[in-house]
Amino acid sequence: PSRFWRGCDHSAGVRFRQMRGDALLAGDLHPRPLAAAVRPRRAMGLAVLLAQEAVHGPQGALRHNSHDQCAGDPLDTHRLELPDLDCDLIPLISFIVQKAKCRYCLNKISWQYPLVELIFAIAAVLLATSIGFYATLVLIPLLTILLALAIQDLKNMYVDSFLLYSFAFISFLYGLLFFKYSILNILIWGLVGYIFFYLQELISAKKWVGSADAFIGMSIGFLFASFQTLETIIISYWIATIILVPYYLIKKRNLKGIKFGFIPYLALS
């Protein structure tokens, strides 16, 4: 299999599956030994799936079952036969069990996937200790979308408009129904958060911030509907400064003209 999969191309995957099918029909292979020989790939959490949906469009994870991107093979879900643990869809554990390699193409899987899952888990625990378990369950969809937006902006410096509008809409509903703010308060502070970034976008001709940052600022206003809106935004600037200035100094790069996505730092704040 490794000869066909080194290139990680779709045609090679088709050839390998045809060979596997022929071998099974001929009785040369048995399903169980084959599954043990080709280790399963690991899974991605909901936030990663949302980010992939936004990046890959019609081929995104929300429109198809979880599958290997090279071959299209569906990932296993429930075969947990110890000690030979065949599991694809267990966050973090699958990555460790499969030794960071894809079950089908045998290429290494990026550390970004377990890292995102770990960040999501830590964020959920911090929320639960702060506002309680059941309140955290309510906020999980919002946290998921925010994390997906942060990943997109960090990697590509653009975000999917559907996710962005969904985040703003859900933030408004949470402020109204869950936090019980008045509609007037929500709208005022949403406007404050939006204008904070919109003025920078206008003055700099979109060189400092983008329209997506303004929408996130508006969403923060919907969620807090108080001076915490401005506090959260200001803290995000400090976080970006603390992280980025040492990073670029170590890289010995001129700080002037550097471009980076800002939503990750808003998310951290």
Side-chain angles (χ1 to χ4, degrees):
S2 59
R3 286 185 314 176
F4 283 94
W5 285 100
R6 291 301 178 192
C8 196
D9 64 285
H10 180 70
S11 59
V14 172
R15 289 199 299 274
F16 174 65
R17 289 199 301 277
Q18 289 173 345
M19 290 175 57
R20 180 176 63 184
D22 294 342
L24 285 169
L25 289 173
D28 297 332
L29 292 174
H30 299 286
R32 187 62 192 164
L34 181 65
V38 186
R39 304 309 305 164
R41 69 163 289 181
R42 37 104 35 232
M44 287 165 282
L46 179 58
V48 185
L49 296 184
L50 281 171
Q52 283 206 340
E53 171 72 12
V55 172
H56 297 295
Q59 301 302 320
L62 295 184
R63 292 176 173 83
H64 304 278
N65 291 337
S66 299
H67 60 278
D68 177 73
Q69 292 181 9
C70 304
D73 286 305
L75 302 185
D76 292 332
T77 53
H78 301 299
R79 288 195 297 160
L80 305 176
E81 302 174 18
L82 298 175
D84 190 9
L85 185 65
D86 279 349
C87 54
D88 291 339
L89 298 174
I90 303 178
L92 293 177
I93 295 176
S94 297
F95 183 84
I96 296 171
V97 170
Q98 314 321 325
K99 299 178 182 177
K101 288 186 179 180
C102 175
R103 171 184 184 177
Y104 301 97
C105 63
L106 305 183
N107 284 343
K108 287 189 175 181
I109 298 170
S110 172
W111 280 89
Q112 73 178 16
Y113 298 114
L115 183 61
V116 167
E117 292 167 349
L118 183 61
I119 291 173
F120 188 88
I122 292 173
V125 170
L126 289 175
L127 268 179
T129 55
S130 176
I131 64 176
F133 176 74
Y134 294 106
T136 300
L137 288 181
V138 175
L139 290 173
I140 284 294
L142 198 67
L143 179 64
T144 299
I145 297 175
L146 179 60
L147 188 55
L149 288 169
I151 295 167
Q152 270 197 315
D153 199 33
L154 182 66
K155 292 190 66 178
N156 307 314
M157 289 186 60
Y158 73 85
V159 296
D160 180 74
S161 56
F162 176 76
L163 287 180
L164 188 64
Y165 299 151
S166 298
F167 183 74
F169 179 70
I170 295 174
S171 298
F172 180 84
L173 290 181
Y174 275 27
L176 183 64
L177 303 177
F178 185 67
F179 296 117
K180 308 293 185 182
Y181 303 137
S182 69
I183 293 181
L184 183 61
N185 240 20
I186 295 173
L187 293 177
I188 288 174
W189 283 104
L191 189 62
V192 168
Y194 185 86
I195 290 176
F196 183 93
F197 288 101
Y198 177 74
L199 290 177
Q200 296 180 67
E201 181 184 356
L202 200 63
I203 294 170
S204 66
K206 295 188 177 182
K207 290 182 180 179
W208 298 347
V209 296
S211 56
D213 301 317
F215 268 93
I216 297 297
M218 180 177 66
S219 303
I220 292 173
F222 291 160
L223 282 173
F224 291 112
S226 67
F227 281 101
Q228 280 187 307
T229 301
L230 294 177
E231 290 175 3
T232 304
I233 294 173
I234 291 170
I235 289 172
S236 69
Y237 278 85
W238 280 107
I239 292 174
T241 302
I242 292 170
I243 293 176
L244 293 176
V245 170
Y247 172 78
Y248 285 116
L249 287 177
I250 292 172
K251 292 283 186 178
K252 297 181 179 179
R253 290 182 59 183
N254 186 359
L255 295 177
K256 187 177 180 180
I258 286 176
K259 294 182 179 181
F260 55 89
F262 194 65
I263 293 178
Y265 308 102
L266 285 168
L268 284 172
S269 181

